[in-house]
């Protein structure tokens, strides 16, 4: 939850004003809710009224919902959507790494693409990752680096507390700028792709909902505190990535920390994407690789694909926005609420049905607005 997106939250407050603070809280509540109902869809009651886990993945849930149309249609749609979003996330980390390296060492005569290749070389060991335990250790280090970055920014902001003023907040907002803020805030909480695997790997899955409540609550508190502190410090001068506002002597340190964070963040979406693809290739047997050479081939191909796309796709940020608007909203809001209604309709109360329908409508509107803004930006970019 405390990913690179967090560094864009002060900029989101610049364009959304007081409503942005409300959105940070609302997004946490909605994403926590859709995470819970998604996991609920993995379970069914047996004859004794006990909940039994009858599905393992997002794909299984989709197949159960679409079995009357086609036994595998739902799974194909979900898998394609998941893999697209995960690949684009991996590519983003490579692009960011190249950008950070070029800014950290401006005196070295190399392009951003060359730096991206160097970053790619450090990620080659990812082809040997076989279990989620290794990924979790890397994610733990990633979290540590992230908190160092947040600590540096927050400490500097607190030294400028004499300049803070609530007058910097906007009361009126422009609709298009507001939509950009909505996208940044909502998608900084998304984690639904990983939840079925995470819940399945927990020692005590019964604690999942409690874990989800605490992580979303803490993420909300940290995001609000960080975004508010940074925005009150720089106001109208707040940049898209808040670390660009720091003095030069701190920027290099923070850029190197961000680089470390980006490289440590890469294995999680990479592992998830390769697991999905290999599960399809090996007919669902993704817990144990039957052919180590085949597994290496899948992971190696994915690594190379992310590098090639990072180097040759023009206007990557706009394409990322378009993909995120389609896949992010679908996986976070549209599909969990739709699947929950489909599988649990007879057991849901009236209020639960209303909640699911409201989340679906909100997700659809967010997705539509994001698509329109991204396409408009692409058309302007291509002249």
């Amino acid at each position: 939850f405390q990913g690179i997106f967090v560094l864009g939250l002060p900029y989101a407050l610049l364009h959304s004003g007081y409503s942005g603070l409300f959105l940070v809280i609302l997004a946490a509540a909605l994403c926590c809710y859709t995470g819970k109902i998604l996991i609920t869809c993995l379970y069914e009651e047996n004859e004794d009224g006990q909940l039994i886990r009858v599905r393992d993945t997002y794909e299984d849930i989709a197949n159960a919902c679409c079995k009357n149309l086609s036994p595998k249609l739902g799974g194909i749609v979900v898998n394609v959507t998941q893999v697209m979003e995960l690949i684009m996330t991996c590519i983003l980390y490579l692009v960011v790494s190249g950008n950070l390296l070029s800014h950290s060492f401006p005196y070295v005569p190399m392009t951003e693409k060359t730096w991206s290749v160097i970053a790619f070389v450090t990620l080659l060991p990812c082809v040997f990752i076989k279990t989620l335990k290794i990924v979790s250790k890397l994610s733990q280090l990633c979290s540590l680096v992230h908190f160092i970055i947040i600590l540096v920014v927050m400490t500097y902001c607190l030294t400028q507390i004499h300049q803070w003023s609530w007058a910097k907040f906007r009361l009126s907002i422009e609709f298009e700028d507001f939509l950009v803020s909505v996208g940044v805030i909502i998608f900084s909480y998304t984690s639904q792709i990983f939840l079925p695997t995470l819940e399945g790997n927990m020692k005590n899955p019964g604690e999942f909902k409690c874990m989800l409540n605490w992580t979303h609550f803490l993420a909300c508190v940290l995001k609000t505190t960080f975004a508010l502190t940074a925005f009150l410090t720089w106001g109208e001068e707040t940049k898209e990535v808040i670390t660009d506002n720091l003095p030069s002597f701190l920027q290099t340190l923070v850029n190197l920390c961000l680089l470390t964070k980006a490289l440590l963040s890469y294995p999680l979406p990479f592992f998830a994407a390769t697991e999905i693809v290999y599960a399809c290739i090996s007919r669902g047997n993704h817990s144990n690789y039957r052919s180590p050479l085949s597994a290496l081939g899948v992971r190696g191909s994915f690594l190379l694909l992310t590098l090639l796309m990072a180097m040759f796709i023009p206007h990557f940020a706009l394409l990322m926005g378009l993909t995120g608007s389609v896949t992010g909203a679908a996986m976070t809001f549209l599909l969990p609420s739709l699947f929950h209604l489909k599988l649990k309709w007879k057991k849901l109360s009236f209020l639960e049905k209303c909640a699911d329908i409201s989340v679906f409508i909100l997700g659809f509107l967010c997705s539509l607005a994001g698509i329109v803004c991204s396409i408009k930006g692409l058309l302007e970019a291509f002249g």
Side-chain angles (χ1 to χ4, degrees), residues 307-343:
L307 174 66
L308 293 174
M309 291 181 73
M311 293 184 70
F312 297 113
I313 291 181
H315 308 295
F316 176 79
L318 292 171
L319 288 172
M320 184 73 186
L322 180 59
T323 306
S325 296
V326 177
T327 62
M331 301 302 290
T332 306
F333 296 121
L334 302 180
L335 295 182
S337 54
L338 191 62
F339 292 163
H340 194 232
L341 287 168
K342 172 70 175 174
L343 294 173

Side-chain angles (χ1 to χ4, degrees), residues 130-170:
K130 294 182 181 179
T131 66
L132 200 61
K133 280 190 175 182
I134 298 172
V135 177
S136 71
K137 296 296 182 186
L138 294 172
S139 294
Q140 209 167 21
L141 288 172
C142 179
S143 298
L144 179 63
V145 174
H146 179 83
F147 281 112
I148 291 171
I149 297 167
I150 297 297
L151 183 64
V152 170
V153 176
M154 291 281 286
T155 302
Y156 178 79
C157 289
L158 289 173
T159 64
Q160 306 298 312
I161 197 169
H162 58 280
Q163 297 181 4
W164 290 8
S165 170
W166 286 96
K168 295 176 181 179
F169 268 96
R170 291 186 181 186

Side-chain angles (χ1 to χ4, degrees), residues 234-252:
W234 286 289
E236 292 292 329
E237 296 177 5
T238 301
K239 297 181 180 178
E240 287 187 47
V241 180
I242 198 62
T243 52
D244 290 341
N245 282 102
L246 292 171
S248 56
F249 70 92
L250 283 176
Q251 268 193 34
T252 303

Side-chain angles (χ1 to χ4, degrees), residues 91-244:
I91 297 166
L92 179 63
Y93 287 134
L94 272 178
V95 171
V96 167
S97 297
N99 180 270
L100 289 169
L101 279 167
S102 66
H103 281 82
S104 299
F105 306 102
Y107 46 84
V108 179
M110 286 199 289
T111 64
E112 283 189 20
K113 290 182 178 180
T114 307
W115 282 119
S116 292
V117 174
I118 293 171
F120 169 79
V121 171
T122 67
L123 294 169
L124 288 176
C126 287
V127 298
F128 301 108
I129 294 176
K130 294 182 181 179
T131 66
L132 200 61
K133 280 190 175 182
I134 298 172
V135 177
S136 71
K137 296 296 182 186
L138 294 172
S139 294
Q140 209 167 21
L141 288 172
C142 179
S143 298
L144 179 63
V145 174
H146 179 83
F147 281 112
I148 291 171
I149 297 167
I150 297 297
L151 183 64
V152 170
V153 176
M154 291 281 286
T155 302
Y156 178 79
C157 289
L158 289 173
T159 64
Q160 306 298 312
I161 197 169
H162 58 280
Q163 297 181 4
W164 290 8
S165 170
W166 286 96
K168 295 176 181 179
F169 268 96
R170 291 186 181 186
L171 291 174
S172 60
I173 53 174
E174 293 181 16
F175 185 65
E176 254 187 60
D177 291 338
F178 178 72
L179 289 178
V180 173
S181 301
V182 170
V184 171
I185 291 168
I186 288 177
F187 296 122
S188 69
Y189 283 104
T190 57
S191 63
Q192 276 68 7
I193 287 177
F194 309 108
L195 294 185
T197 304
L198 177 62
E199 195 260 0
N201 279 276
M202 287 179 71
K203 286 184 179 179
N204 185 2
E207 296 178 349
F208 178 81
K209 287 186 178 180
C210 180
M211 178 275 293
L212 215 59
N213 287 336
W214 276 107
T215 48
H216 279 80
F217 171 74
L218 291 171
C220 179
V221 171
L222 289 168
K223 287 176 193 292
T224 304
T225 305
F226 175 73
L228 195 57
T229 303
F231 177 73
L232 287 173
T233 301
W234 286 289
E236 292 292 329
E237 296 177 5
T238 301
K239 297 181 180 178
E240 287 187 47
V241 180
I242 198 62
T243 52
D244 290 341

